[in-house]
Amino acid sequence: MSFGQGGPQSQWDPWKPQSQQPSQQPQHQQQQQPWNGGDAGASPDWAALAEASEARAKRRRLFLIGGGALATVAIAGAVAVAVVSANGSDQASDGPSSQLPATADIPSASATTPSFAPTSAPPPLDPKDFVSSAKKDKAALSPDLLFPGTQLTMGDTVYKKGPTADTRTCGSAAQGTLPKVLDAHDCTRLLRVTYTEGDTAVTVGVAVFDTEAQAAKAKQQVDKKSIVRSLSGGGVKSFCTGAVCRSTTNSYGRYAYFTVAGLTNGKDVTEKSTEVFRAGDDLAEFTFRQIRRRGEAQASAAAQAG
């Protein structure tokens, strides 16, 4: 039996506090000698110790690297599971619309739609401007154009159209104080038309001036004796030649218009002659509408032309 191999030896690791240094003595001698004691043959193998230490350090580095890789894989797996779980719940299910983002979370169309500076449209053309001056009022004009058709309906009343006239010397188609007023403000034409309904007859006279100011002044200067001359003929009996009649005066733009209403049976108009008053008012209203429509038509044509 060799004293140097007298039984199993415990492996000594200088990095482990509980390990023991291998003994060079026989098994029955259990005394441990200090590192610097004993004879020279029992000194440690420093080269072997260095190799063992290097091997352990290498294993430790591999363990740390491997553990870090496993931790990274575990974190990535958790993130992948979370992403898949979040995406999968939206993509795989046909849930109710309440799972969609709220309206406030959805970008509005105005966020992506380009905006443009507001533009102001030009103001609409004023129809009255086209009938206030001869320079702009260029549309054709005649009694039949201003008073078209063969009859006129106002409310429930139908008026039959009678004779018409277009006089260039305005004073000759007027009587009383009206000829002087028309001549003073340079009236250029006096258009007349007569309408009848039963025994009632109304003559409308439209005096044409170059400007609105002239028509307005003529209107201001007329009096109760300023009367347009009634127009008869063509089946219409003479009226308002000696009997009392009712007259009106007004103006719009460069036109002054008058009415004279009476009875074809020769009787005087009284306060009880309601049909005469109504007929005079209806024809005055219709004349105003026709002059205004004339302006509207020319304004519309000018707007379309550009």
Side-chain angles (χ1 to χ4, degrees), residues 82-101:
V83 172
V84 171
S85 178
N87 292 340
S89 62
D90 289 341
Q91 298 175 357
S93 63
D94 294 330
S97 59
S98 60
Q99 296 179 359
L100 297 175

Side-chain angles (χ1 to χ4, degrees), residues 20-106:
Q20 296 180 355
Q21 180 181 359
S23 177
Q24 301 296 327
Q25 298 178 354
Q27 186 176 6
H28 61 277
Q29 296 179 355
Q30 298 296 329
Q31 295 179 356
Q32 296 185 4
Q33 299 179 358
W35 288 105
N36 59 354
D39 57 17
S43 62
D45 188 350
W46 297 108
L49 292 176
E51 292 177 358
S53 176
E54 183 179 355
R56 284 189 296 272
K58 183 177 182 179
R59 287 195 302 272
R60 185 175 182 182
R61 286 195 301 271
L62 292 175
F63 174 79
L64 291 176
I65 293 172
L70 290 175
T72 302
V73 171
I75 293 173
V79 173
V81 170
V83 172
V84 171
S85 178
N87 292 340
S89 62
D90 289 341
Q91 298 175 357
S93 63
D94 294 330
S97 59
S98 60
Q99 296 179 359
L100 297 175
T103 303
D105 298 332
I106 301 176

Side-chain angles (χ1 to χ4, degrees), residues 99-210:
Q99 296 179 359
L100 297 175
T103 303
D105 298 332
I106 301 176
S108 61
S110 61
T112 57
T113 303
S115 59
F116 301 94
T119 58
S120 57
L125 299 176
D126 186 357
K128 189 177 181 181
D129 290 343
F130 290 86
V131 292
S132 295
S133 171
K135 295 180 180 180
K136 298 185 70 173
D137 190 8
K138 298 297 185 179
L141 179 63
S142 71
D144 289 330
L145 290 174
L146 197 58
F147 302 96
T150 59
Q151 64 182 28
L152 168 65
T153 302
M154 296 290 289
D156 296 331
T157 306
V158 178
Y159 299 96
K160 294 181 180 180
K161 182 180 175 182
T164 62
D166 186 356
T167 305
R168 299 290 173 167
T169 54
C170 299
S172 63
Q175 58 184 1
T177 58
L178 185 57
K180 183 178 179 180
V181 172
L182 297 178
D183 293 341
H185 299 289
D186 300 323
C187 173
T188 59
R189 297 170 68 179
L190 183 58
L191 287 66
R192 290 181 294 166
V193 61
T194 297
Y195 286 90
T196 61
E197 192 271 321
D199 292 336
T200 300
V202 181
T203 294
V204 179
V206 180
V208 183
F209 300 87
D210 286 338

Side-chain angles (χ1 to χ4, degrees), residues 286-300:
F286 179 71
T287 303
F288 163 74
R289 293 180 186 178
Q290 289 300 97
I291 298 173
R292 186 178 62 183
R293 287 170 184 169
R294 176 180 173 84
E296 292 172 348
Q298 293 182 86
S300 177

